[in-house]
Amino acid sequence: MGRKVTVATCALNQWALDFEGNLQRILKSIEIAKHRGARYRLGPELEICGYGCWDHYYESDTLLHSLQVLAALLESPVTQDIICDVGMPVMHRNVRYNCRVIFLNRKILLIRPKMALANEGNYRELRWFTPWSRSRPVALRPARSCCGGVLCMEERAVASLASTGGYICIPVSLQCPQTLSGVPWDRIVLFFLQQTEEYFLPRMLQDLTKQETVPFGDAVLSTWDTCIGSEVCEELWTPHSPHVDMGLDGVEIFTNASGSHHVLRKAHARVDLVTMATTKNGGIYLLANQKGCDGDRLYYDGCALIAMNGSIFAQGSQFSLDDVEVLTATLDLEDIRSYRAEISSRNLAALRECPSQASRVSPYPRVKVDFALSCHEDLLEPVSEPIEWKYHSPAEEISLGPACWLWDFLRRSRQAGFFLPLSGGVDSAATACLVYSMCHQVCEAVKRGNLEVLADVRTIVNQPSYTPQDPRELCGRVLTTCYMASENSSQETCDRARELAQQIGSHHIGLHIDPVVKALVGLFSLVTGASPRFAVHGGSDRENLALQNVQARVRMVIAYLFAQLSLWSRGAPGGLLVLGSANVDESLLGYLTKYDCSSADINPIGGISKTDLRAFVQLCVERFQLPALQSILAAPATAELEPLAHGRVSQTDEEDMGMTYAELSVYGRLRKVAKTGPYSMFCKLLDMWRDTCSPRQVADKVKCFFSKYSMNRHKMTTLTPAYHAESYSPDDNRFDLRPFLYNTRWPWQFRCIENQVLQLEGRQRQELDGVD
């Protein structure tokens, strides 16, 4: 009958500029799709070069090698008899575009440039690419009031009057001619030029395809049995997505190639957009996405999917160690047609002056494809059944996403493992648990038969015959933990760190930093003749802070020394990546020592709040059976840099900061997500905290936060590259671009707050006087 189609989408762990590896993963995905009977394969955004090339997009090499990979794909027998949709940068008329290249049997069918570029948060596409803005054919009726005036909608218009299809077509920006005086207004149409263009193929492709030019622009594919239209990532998130008009113009299969990174609690938004798109307009929707770490702070979280008419039919994993994941579904095109038949607002016109949405939409240029996605005899072909989307909790997302990111970073950096300063607190414990979670995922992937993971882990441990089976045993090979005690450290934190290391199996080291600290302070005293003291011993705030900082910075130096030489001392090859463990809230406030243990090679928790980290650690207690974490969760957060009081910790983080971690999360979201300055934050918190704080207390808290935040903003310039997981990350590199030299007194802003507080307090006094 020819109405059931099998389509494929995928999630690929591509790596920026790894053209050889990217090509092999693309070919493998196409091979899997064909093996499952698919006749259309969709891949992620910019999959040929890898999404995260950044300023390498400026280089002609990136364009050249992308074309070479495309030529290899066209030439490969794997790509025969299946429509392949791949992503790559393309230069057209000396302008760079982010494009989809769609081909079949060595013929390029269409190059479709991205029209809405992502340019917020971590995205900077407008830095490297230009959005395609040439409009397709558009038909518009001019307003009645334009009669006798100038019709100026668009300069690119048909240049002569013509009678077509019962309508009078007139050029825009043309005086209404007298000859139209007797023509009804509802028969006059403004007709714009078609805006697909010819793309001249480079010679390396002409020799393969025997084509000189191919269509370039916003068009759709028309096969024997259906019509296919493309969206690219950001276009799904825009207020008027292309799938709206494409669906009204008869497109039945929508594809979206994405380069969408993980943020906690984001998955539902992506799924909702796709299901809502097909709920309102009907149709099949394929979404492909990159997965893994392709070279920087972002982790692309897969979640490839296939939906139809508002239901999900295939769900890809959000986090996994599989480099290639392919989803397929067999769906009935007649289900789309019958679904759309019931949408009266789409199909029927109640009045002559109010035509249907489908009849009003401007037509897309169609590229005819001599191919069908269905087969003639498909009556007995089983169709896919709808499924319920399964979401991870935020704690589960933390246990999986950063662990996968660590794995990619470890294997691609070709290091032999990690070195982690383990303090016995929640943050460093959470980082250790992430490495342990990574080991769990590696063992599970090997057990499932993932040969790529097995080859990678054998390279990391330098044993060609090694097969990991026990996560604890693997953790002992790839993670070295170190408790760096000082005279200010308590026995409790030392015990907690040692117990956790034993339970996860890490190679654990215990050492004392006091000799080094005393040597440095002694050097200072020898040179200056002055001996700094802690505050509890009569020292000033400056002395107290300096003595804390020297301890913290010594720990960083020791960490890097042991990361380079600890494996050497054990007779093993390679070096270790130093892991940092400062959470997003501490980074936001600057509650860390510049160049202390927060300075590391990478930080898997640097984009995660303290609140979420505690939930993740609690999950690890149950999931990984790590009872040592219970005492860590119960203990107060402390830096242990000041002298103990009777052997007990006298310093706590929240007391040092002057605010709670819960308050810090609120400040962070208001500052970044809600985009508030001091005064706006004060106004919002007045309402949010009206039951717990007076206006004066709210003002004091806001002033305290902004004073400390601005004073410490310079620390963000040296922040360790961290896994991006939170929408209020203060990462100075690309996500949160702000000055790092502020007037920390905020005189104008704080005066506005103070004036408002005085007014509110005066009003309250008047009300109280009135009651008396």
Side-chain angles (χ1 to χ4, degrees):
M1 296 178 65
R3 67 186 210 180
K4 296 176 183 177
V5 297
T6 301
V7 290
T9 185
C10 61
L12 304 183
N13 194 336
Q14 303 297 75
W15 191 9
L17 302 178
D18 179 24
F19 292 97
E20 180 62 38
N22 293 347
L23 170 61
Q24 296 308 316
R25 286 182 283 271
I26 293 170
L27 285 172
K28 183 177 179 180
S29 70
I30 296 171
E31 189 173 24
I32 294 172
K34 285 180 65 177
H35 179 73
R36 295 180 183 175
R39 307 197 78 186
Y40 189 101
R41 175 269 182 198
L42 173 71
E45 184 176 11
L46 294 167
E47 60 186 309
I48 283 181
C49 58
Y51 184 83
C53 293
W54 308 145
D55 278 5
H56 289 290
Y57 287 123
Y58 289 134
E59 299 168 4
S60 60
D61 280 13
T62 304
L63 296 170
L64 170 64
H65 300 326
S66 296
L67 288 170
Q68 290 170 334
V69 171
L70 176 60
L73 290 169
L74 287 163
E75 198 170 17
S76 172
V78 173
T79 63
Q80 299 302 297
D81 300 321
I82 182 171
I83 297 178
C84 298
D85 187 337
V86 299
M88 60 180 282
V90 175
M91 180 178 283
H92 175 54
R93 299 182 181 178
N94 286 347
V95 178
R96 284 175 173 80
Y97 295 97
N98 175 349
C99 291
R100 304 303 301 170
V101 180
I102 308 172
F103 61 90
L104 169 68
N105 295 338
R106 293 197 179 191
K107 299 291 183 184
I108 295 176
L109 305 174
L110 172 68
I111 300 178
R112 201 286 202 175
K114 190 173 182 179
M115 298 185 296
L117 299 182
N119 209 56
E120 70 286 337
N122 285 295
Y123 296 104
R124 293 288 182 275
E125 290 183 10
L126 281 171
R127 180 179 173 93
W128 310 293
F129 300 113
T130 299
W132 178 255
S133 57
R134 303 294 180 87
S135 57
R136 64 182 187 282
V138 176
L140 297 173
R141 288 179 175 80
R144 299 176 192 271
S145 58
C146 289
C147 186
V150 176
L151 303 176
C152 48
M153 300 289 292
E154 166 79 49
E155 289 297 330
R156 300 176 181 275
V158 178
S160 62
L161 297 177
S163 177
T164 174
Y167 290 89
I168 303 298
C169 296
I170 67 174
V172 281
S173 298
L174 185 73
Q175 293 281 353
C176 295
Q178 295 298 320
T179 54
L180 295 179
S181 58
V183 178
W185 270 99
D186 61 358
R187 309 307 289 175
I188 298 177
V189 171
L190 307 180
F191 189 76
F192 297 124
L193 288 175
Q194 179 170 317
Q195 288 302 321
T196 53
E197 299 178 350
E198 288 185 322
Y199 175 77
F200 286 81
L201 294 175
R203 283 174 292 181
M204 72 172 77
L205 296 182
Q206 288 186 28
D207 295 340
L208 280 172
T209 65
K210 309 305 178 187
Q211 297 168 286
E212 183 176 319
T213 63
V214 296
F216 187 101
D218 184 19
V220 298
L221 302 181
S222 185
T223 64
W224 292 342
D225 50 359
T226 189
C227 189
I228 308 166
S230 296
E231 289 186 324
V232 186
C233 198
E234 179 74 6
E235 294 168 4
L236 172 63
W237 300 76
T238 57
H240 189 83
S241 299
H243 67 254
V244 176
D245 286 348
M246 286 193 294
L248 293 173
D249 194 36
V251 172
E252 294 179 326
I253 300 176
F254 313 106
T255 66
N256 186 302
S258 288
S260 181
H261 64 78
H262 174 235
V263 174
L264 289 172
R265 305 170 179 87
K266 174 184 174 182
H268 73 278
R270 192 186 296 145
V271 175
D272 289 348
L273 283 169
V274 171
T275 54
M276 186 55 65
T278 58
T279 297
K280 293 192 299 183
N281 211 356
I284 297 170
Y285 203 108
L286 311 180
L287 186 140
N289 194 20
Q290 189 161 310
K291 67 190 303 187
C293 166
D294 78 340
D296 71 351
R297 296 160 173 79
L298 306 181
Y299 180 83
Y300 300 90
D301 60 338
C303 285
L305 64 86
I306 301 175
M308 183 177 72
N309 298 345
S311 298
I312 301 293
F313 284 81
Q315 173 184 354
S317 63
Q318 188 174 10
F319 311 103
S320 82
L321 303 186
D322 297 331
D323 284 347
V324 176
E325 182 182 22
V326 178
L327 302 182
T328 56
T330 300
L331 302 168
D332 194 335
L333 295 173
E334 289 300 317
D335 289 341
I336 302 170
R337 294 157 189 167
S338 59
Y339 182 90
R340 287 178 171 177
E342 289 190 331
I343 307 175
S344 58
S345 60
R346 179 187 182 278
N347 304 305
L348 302 175
L351 298 172
R352 186 165 173 258
E353 288 79 9
C354 183
S356 70
Q357 294 182 44
S359 65
R360 283 206 309 266
V361 74
S362 52
Y364 275 79
R366 276 166 161 73
V367 176
K368 295 181 180 179
V369 183
D370 190 16
F371 189 72
L373 301 191
S374 59
C375 301
H376 286 296
E377 300 299 329
D378 62 2
L379 184 61
L380 300 179
E381 182 76 18
V383 294
S384 302
E385 296 294 329
I387 62 173
E388 289 292 326
W389 189 275
K390 297 178 181 178
Y391 293 98
H392 293 293
S393 69
E396 290 172 332
E397 290 185 66
I398 295 170
S399 74
L400 298 170
C404 292
W405 183 75
L406 284 174
W407 172 249
D408 281 341
F409 216 102
L410 178 60
R411 65 190 180 116
R412 287 173 171 171
S413 66
R414 305 185 71 81
Q415 296 300 297
F418 301 109
F419 183 91
L420 171 66
L422 190 61
S423 68
V426 168
D427 292 339
S428 62
T431 303
C433 289
L434 286 174
V435 178
Y436 190 58
S437 174
M438 181 200 80
C439 294
H440 264 270
Q441 293 188 65
V442 168
C443 291
E444 289 172 3
V446 170
K447 190 179 298 184
R448 292 195 307 268
N450 190 318
L451 298 180
E452 290 86 359
V453 171
L454 180 59
D456 285 334
V457 76
R458 286 174 171 174
T459 300
I460 290 167
V461 302
N462 196 40
Q463 289 189 12
S465 61
Y466 175 68
T467 300
Q469 295 177 332
D470 177 17
R472 191 172 181 275
E473 185 272 338
L474 176 59
C475 190
R477 292 173 178 265
V478 299
L479 177 62
T480 298
T481 53
C482 181
Y483 182 81
M484 303 184 198
S486 75
E487 61 184 12
N488 303 318
S489 301
S490 65
Q491 187 61 44
E492 290 85 356
T493 55
C494 178
D495 292 342
R496 290 196 291 266
R498 185 182 64 255
E499 288 171 11
L500 177 60
Q502 289 173 347
Q503 290 175 16
I504 65 175
S506 67
H507 178 81
H508 190 63
I509 300 170
L511 56 83
H512 286 268
I513 66 171
D514 291 330
V516 183
V517 173
K518 289 177 179 178
L520 290 172
V521 175
L523 175 63
F524 176 84
S525 299
L526 180 66
V527 172
T528 64
S531 298
R533 295 173 297 173
F534 282 105
V536 296
H537 298 149
S540 65
D541 288 342
R542 280 195 294 173
E543 295 171 72
N544 195 63
L545 184 58
L547 289 174
Q548 292 183 67
N549 287 345
V550 71
Q551 297 171 72
R553 291 184 175 124
V554 160
R555 287 183 170 122
M556 182 203 73
V557 175
I558 292 174
Y560 273 98
L561 176 65
F562 275 76
Q564 288 182 292
L565 294 179
S566 63
L567 290 183
W568 167 80
S569 70
R570 288 182 263 161
L576 303 174
L577 291 166
V578 179
L579 296 180
S581 53
N583 62 62
V584 72
D585 298 321
E586 292 170 348
S587 298
L588 171 66
L589 192 65
Y591 182 64
L592 51 91
T593 300
K594 203 172 186 180
Y595 304 118
D596 69 347
C597 280
S598 65
S599 296
D601 292 317
I602 51 175
N603 180 0
I605 68 165
I608 305 172
S609 72
K610 190 79 164 188
T611 303
D612 284 337
L613 282 175
R614 292 183 66 85
F616 159 64
V617 172
Q618 183 60 52
L619 175 74
C620 292
V621 173
E622 303 154 7
R623 177 162 296 181
F624 300 137
Q625 300 300 303
L626 302 174
L629 294 173
Q630 292 283 26
S631 60
I632 292 175
L633 285 169
T638 174
E640 288 196 332
L641 295 173
E642 294 187 30
L644 301 175
H646 307 293
R648 298 284 183 177
V649 172
S650 61
Q651 176 188 29
T652 64
D653 290 353
E654 292 187 339
E655 185 178 344
D656 276 357
M657 294 188 299
M659 59 195 73
T660 66
Y661 281 106
E663 289 173 340
L664 256 179
S665 291
V666 174
Y667 298 145
R669 287 189 170 84
L670 289 176
R671 181 197 69 97
K672 178 65 178 176
V673 181
K675 302 171 182 62
T676 62
Y679 181 74
S680 296
M681 184 181 290
F682 165 75
C683 294
K684 287 185 177 293
L685 289 177
L686 275 178
D687 181 60
M688 291 174 62
W689 292 347
R690 63 183 180 275
D691 296 330
T692 57
C693 296
S694 68
R696 174 63 61 188
Q697 290 172 323
V698 172
D700 290 343
K701 287 175 180 289
V702 170
K703 291 177 184 178
C704 177
F705 166 72
F706 272 98
S707 295
K708 292 187 176 183
Y709 155 75
S710 57
M711 188 183 305
N712 291 319
R713 180 66 193 186
H714 66 94
K715 297 178 182 179
M716 298 307 98
T717 63
T718 61
L719 207 61
T720 296
Y723 180 97
H724 180 86
E726 189 55 80
S727 57
Y728 66 92
S729 167
D731 169 33
D732 181 76
N733 177 265
R734 184 169 66 246
F735 182 72
D736 190 42
L737 306 180
R738 297 169 192 258
F740 54 86
L741 177 61
Y742 282 92
N743 183 343
T744 59
R745 297 185 302 275
W746 299 85
W748 189 283
Q749 294 92 331
F750 286 1
R751 188 163 60 247
C752 288
I753 293 174
E754 187 63 24
N755 291 339
Q756 191 64 60
V757 171
L758 292 174
Q759 288 182 28
L760 291 171
E761 289 177 340
R763 192 179 306 161
Q764 288 175 346
R765 283 194 297 269
Q766 289 177 358
E767 291 174 355
L768 290 173
D769 292 342
V771 171
D772 294 341

